[in-house]
Amino acid sequence: MKFGIDSGHNCPPDTGARGIKVEDNLTLDIGNRVIGKLRALGNEVVVCKPSSANTVRDSLSKRCSIANASRVDIFVSIHFNAFNRQANGTEVFATSENGRKIAKPVLDEIVKLGFFSRGVKSGSHLFVLKNTDMPAILIECCFIDSQKDMNLYNPEAMANAIVKGLTGKLPSVPVNPVQDEEDNADATILRLQKSLNRLKITDRNGKALIQDGFTGANTKSAVEKFQTIVGVQPTGIADSTTWNAINLILAKRIIRANHAGGSVVRYLQYRLGVENDGVYGPQTEVAIKNFQKQNSLDADGIFGPASWQKLIG
């Protein structure tokens, strides 16, 4: 069997939801585990997550194009939900009868882990299901803003449930997840360079990074600079903690006085030229309001979508 596995989002500006956890981090982890397990069972797997995109639509189109060009037998897109902190459970979307037949066993296996079943639903509104040529499903594993779901969530168990639902079996021995970008370190570095450039993090010479996919002194210095800004140990190596901070910022969550702190606020403070202590205090509020006024925005001190658009596009 030839599977196309799409780890949702993870392709700025195509970034996912956020809650107790960040969707991009979870979909990438689950996707890499699923890919490794499917290959261990003797299946061929095509990684459908693109390494770069100009827009969200471009990101979605590339995922479909990869699957269609590779003529995969089944396309699987992995996602996590977020809503109102109360909704919980798992649901799987499909557009065809064959898709629904694939979706139901996957849903059943995830429900066995203790998640509430929200059913198999029509995915006629979902781009990646409408524009793939083969039976396709989109899995919303659970809700990342639900404490109930996050208490249940275990990445290895979730990946096993998906693989068991797709194939009816699991590898007989433990399988290590594949590395990000289908073992392509250059693509990971390229994604890092593009993300840092988008965040206006310059190298040791104050210049934007050359987006070449190679790790060098300039890229390392930019990573160290970013780590220092957001309060991460400045090693120059983009570990999971560094990527978590990058993804949190790119998720553009709404920042309000007295309701925000940490790496996102530290980044905002750096960009706005105030002490980046990670605390949204009076000085930060003044700086945000001044930024909003300068950009002809409502100067309410709430850093929402319009403000983020002006800051990072």
Side-chain angles (χ1 to χ4, degrees):
M1 186 69 73
K2 191 174 185 179
F3 290 93
I5 301 298
D6 170 32
S7 301
H9 306 293
N10 284 285
C11 187
D14 182 359
T15 55
R18 64 274 186 191
I20 299 170
K21 294 184 181 292
V22 177
E23 182 180 11
D24 291 60
N25 300 334
L26 301 194
T27 59
L28 191 60
D29 184 18
I30 294 298
N32 289 345
R33 291 173 190 265
V34 167
I35 291 166
K37 293 174 189 294
L38 288 174
R39 286 177 177 165
L41 290 170
N43 299 285
E44 185 177 352
V45 181
V46 175
V47 176
C48 295
K49 176 176 66 65
S51 60
S52 64
N54 295 320
T55 64
V56 172
R57 185 180 180 84
D58 183 36
S59 171
L60 298 176
S61 295
K62 285 182 176 179
R63 297 166 202 265
C64 298
S65 296
I66 293 169
N68 293 338
S70 302
R71 298 183 180 275
V72 303
D73 298 310
I74 296 173
F75 176 83
V76 181
S77 189
I78 299 171
H79 288 261
F80 284 78
N81 251 324
F83 185 49
N84 63 357
R85 300 185 182 181
Q86 302 303 315
N88 63 92
T90 183
E91 55 198 18
V92 185
F93 292 87
T95 56
S96 66
E97 184 58 34
N98 284 338
R100 285 186 282 275
K101 288 179 180 178
I102 296 166
K104 185 60 165 60
V106 173
L107 175 71
D108 292 344
E109 290 297 327
I110 297 175
V111 169
K112 287 178 184 178
L113 301 178
F115 295 97
F116 171 69
S117 175
R118 300 172 65 88
V120 174
K121 298 183 176 181
S122 170
S124 59
H125 60 296
L126 298 172
F127 188 100
V128 294
L129 299 190
K130 292 190 298 180
N131 292 281
T132 40
D133 299 335
M134 66 294 302
I137 65 173
L138 186 147
I139 307 167
E140 293 282 6
C141 296
C142 62
F143 283 75
I144 58 173
D145 63 344
S146 162
Q147 191 63 63
K148 178 180 180 181
D149 278 3
M150 289 297 94
N151 288 343
L152 286 171
Y153 175 70
N154 176 283
E156 183 69 4
M158 182 65 72
N160 280 339
I162 293 171
V163 172
K164 182 75 177 294
L166 291 172
T167 67
K169 54 188 175 181
L170 290 172
S172 57
V173 296
V175 178
N176 291 326
V178 299
Q179 294 181 0
D180 187 18
E181 302 292 351
E182 202 178 19
D183 301 322
N184 188 341
D186 289 351
T188 303
I189 298 301
L190 179 62
R191 185 157 64 96
L192 173 66
Q193 291 167 334
K194 288 184 175 183
S195 296
L196 292 174
N197 280 342
R198 186 179 176 200
L199 296 176
K200 308 297 184 188
I201 305 298
T202 55
D203 65 16
R204 57 186 176 177
N205 301 311
K207 296 181 179 180
L209 294 172
I210 297 173
Q211 296 175 179
D212 57 7
F214 294 99
T215 302
N218 288 339
T219 297
K220 183 178 180 181
S221 69
V223 172
E224 288 179 348
K225 184 176 183 178
F226 175 78
Q227 291 169 327
T228 300
I229 290 166
V230 299
V232 174
Q233 184 178 358
T235 62
I237 299 171
D239 57 8
S240 60
T241 303
T242 304
W243 273 112
N244 285 348
I246 291 172
N247 286 331
L248 274 172
I249 296 166
L250 293 177
K252 303 180 184 177
R253 67 188 184 93
I254 297 173
I255 302 297
R256 294 182 174 89
N258 303 318
H259 290 88
S263 59
V264 179
V265 172
R266 289 176 66 100
Y267 171 74
L268 279 178
Q269 291 169 325
Y270 163 75
R271 289 295 306 276
L272 298 177
V274 297
E275 181 185 1
N276 62 327
D277 58 4
V279 178
Y280 189 143
Q283 186 183 27
T284 301
E285 183 173 15
V286 169
I288 287 176
K289 288 181 176 179
N290 286 339
F291 172 83
Q292 292 170 326
K293 288 177 183 177
Q294 292 165 6
N295 287 277
S296 301
L297 301 173
D298 185 13
D300 56 6
I302 300 174
F303 213 87
S307 298
W308 280 115
Q309 181 68 23
K310 292 292 184 180
L311 189 70
I312 64 173

